[in-house]
Amino acid sequence: ESRGTEAPRAPLVSFLEFLYEDRIKPMANYVKGRLKERSTPEPMVKSFVELYAQHPDLFIVQQPAPGSQTDEATIFFQKASEPSWFKGWVDIDAPDDPYQEVTWSELAKFLDGEHTFAGGRYGMARELMQRNLPFLAELSLGEVCHMVQLAIQHRRLIVYHRKMLKPIQTVLCQQLSPANGTGVNAEGEEIKDMDDLCLVLFRMLIHHPQGIRLCRMKQMIKHELCRKLSEMAFQCTKLIELFNQEPLSVTFVLDTENDGKSIYVRLGDPDKFSDHVKRIYKQANSTEAKQALQVGSVG
C-alpha cells in the first residue's frame, strides 16, 4: 500500500553512487549539502533520510551510536549493492600522507599567489576540484579534502585567517603590508646588500631544503618573503652572476638538473661558512623559528 509514496529507487542509487565516488563518508549534513549543490528539489533535501529508509533491501540508514559526538545518520549501500569500483572511505583527519611529492610540489606552485577559499577544508577541496587541475585529476574529493587537512596541519602551506583558508605566505605578506605600519611597498622592500641577500636566501632554503630553481627564485622571494631581488643592484646583468661573487660563491651551491636545463640553488656546508656568514645563518634560523610561532597564533 505504501508503494505509491515511496521514492523512485534509481535517483537514490545514482546519487549515493556519486557520494561513493567522493569517498567522503555520507553523513546526513554532508549528503544534504551535496543534494543542494545539485539543485535537488526541496522536498527530497528535507526528507532524504526517510526516503533512503524506505528501501532497506538496498540501503542502510545507520543511526548514531548512543553517546557518540554526532547526532547525524549515515547512509550506506547494503554490502551486496555496493559498487564494485568503490575504494573505501578516506579518513580526512588521518595524519599519514600517502600523496606523491610531485603532487605536493604542484599544489605549492598553484598556491604561489593570491588565493582565498571559503567553506573550510571541504569548500577549498571542492573549489580545487572544480578548477580541473591536472595534478589532482586522479584523486577523489575525499582525497583532496585530506590533502587540504594535511596542508593545514602538517605541510603548513595554508592557514585559517579571518575564517578563510589562505596560502600561508599570503597571510605573512599581509602582516608585512603598509597597513600594518612596516612601510613595505606593494613590490616588496628591495634587498639592499650581500648580508641582506644571504639572510633572505637562508630563510628561503629553510622553507625549501631541496633547493630553489634559479629561474623562479625572484618570484618565490617576492611571494614568500615580500622582498624584491634585483641583480642590477649588485652590478650584475644576470642572476647567475651574483653567485660568482663572495660570499655567495662559497656559501651556496649551484646544481644543474634535466641535462643542464634547470639550475638549482642549494645550501653549502654550514661548517665551512665564515664566522660572519655563520652569524647571518643563525639569525635566519632564529627569524624563521619566531615566524613559525607567530603564524601558529594566526586565525
Side-chain angles (χ1 to χ4, degrees):
E1 283 170 280
S2 63
R3 223 48 182 161
T5 60
E6 278 190 7
R9 294 156 75 95
L12 295 175
V13 169
S14 73
F15 181 70
L16 194 55
E17 282 182 346
F18 169 66
L19 297 181
Y20 268 60
E21 286 172 17
D22 288 349
R23 298 182 63 197
I24 298 174
K25 198 171 279 190
M27 297 177 78
N29 266 343
Y30 173 65
V31 176
K32 184 182 263 188
R34 286 304 246 166
L35 283 166
K36 285 180 175 176
E37 283 168 26
R38 288 169 69 104
S39 305
T40 306
E42 193 60 30
M44 184 173 175
V45 173
K46 282 184 174 170
S47 58
F48 67 90
V49 174
E50 293 81 5
L51 296 176
Y52 276 99
Q54 289 175 5
H55 303 282
D57 58 319
L58 270 183
F59 312 115
I60 301 168
V61 176
Q62 190 178 83
Q63 298 298 334
S68 69
Q69 293 180 330
T70 179
D71 56 359
E72 293 182 65
T74 311
I75 299 161
F76 302 105
F77 278 112
Q78 289 284 2
K79 201 69 187 163
S81 311
E82 189 175 277
S84 58
W85 43 258
F86 180 55
K87 296 178 183 174
W89 307 113
V90 175
D91 181 355
I92 292 164
D93 296 303
D96 57 302
D97 180 352
Y99 308 104
Q100 295 182 351
E101 281 305 317
V102 67
T103 308
W104 282 113
S105 173
E106 289 297 321
L107 179 61
K109 276 187 209 167
F110 171 77
L111 293 171
D112 186 7
E114 294 290 326
H115 292 284
T116 301
F117 302 95
R121 36 185 207 182
Y122 169 74
M124 178 173 173
R126 188 165 160 260
E127 186 172 331
L128 291 173
M129 293 291 275
Q130 286 173 338
R131 287 171 180 259
N132 293 317
L133 301 166
F135 59 92
L136 298 178
E138 300 300 312
L139 300 180
S140 66
L141 181 63
E143 288 170 309
V144 177
C145 268
H146 186 212
M147 281 194 78
V148 170
Q149 175 64 16
L150 292 170
I152 297 166
Q153 205 142 24
H154 298 285
R155 296 272 178 163
R156 310 289 292 165
L157 292 175
I158 47 179
V159 67
Y160 278 104
H161 184 240
R162 296 176 185 162
K163 298 183 181 176
M164 306 288 271
L165 278 171
K166 300 177 184 177
I168 199 164
Q169 299 306 336
T170 301
V171 175
L172 292 177
C173 284
Q174 286 170 355
Q175 291 172 345
L176 294 170
S177 72
N180 291 316
T182 58
V184 179
N185 62 30
E187 274 290 301
E189 183 188 350
E190 189 156 344
I191 295 169
K192 55 188 182 295
D193 56 36
M194 276 296 181
D195 283 1
D196 194 14
L197 179 55
C198 280
L199 182 63
V200 166
L201 291 174
F202 283 144
R203 289 184 65 193
M204 290 296 295
L205 287 165
I206 290 168
H207 288 283
H208 306 278
Q210 75 282 7
I212 300 166
R213 281 180 70 172
L214 191 66
C215 63
R216 297 193 72 240
M217 177 177 282
K218 289 163 79 169
Q219 182 190 8
M220 289 173 72
I221 287 171
K222 181 181 173 185
H223 278 306
E224 296 191 22
L225 298 181
C226 299
R227 300 295 303 275
K228 182 182 177 185
L229 172 58
S230 168
E231 56 270 39
M232 304 294 283
F234 295 88
Q235 288 76 51
C236 295
T237 55
K238 292 181 181 176
L239 197 54
I240 196 166
E241 292 172 9
L242 257 180
F243 289 88
N244 294 326
Q245 297 189 18
E246 296 287 350
L248 301 193
S249 61
V250 293
T251 305
F252 302 96
V253 177
L254 295 184
D255 287 331
T256 55
E257 291 186 11
N258 302 330
D259 297 325
K261 290 176 186 169
S262 300
I263 299 173
Y264 281 80
V265 177
R266 297 192 167 104
L267 190 66
D269 182 354
D271 291 336
K272 294 180 180 174
F273 294 169
S274 68
D275 288 344
H276 179 66
V277 170
K278 279 180 181 173
R279 281 194 291 275
I280 299 171
Y281 184 52
K282 187 177 177 183
Q283 183 187 345
N285 279 283
S286 169
T287 301
E288 283 304 310
K290 286 177 189 166
Q291 196 74 272
L293 287 172
Q294 182 185 354
V295 169
S297 64
V298 167

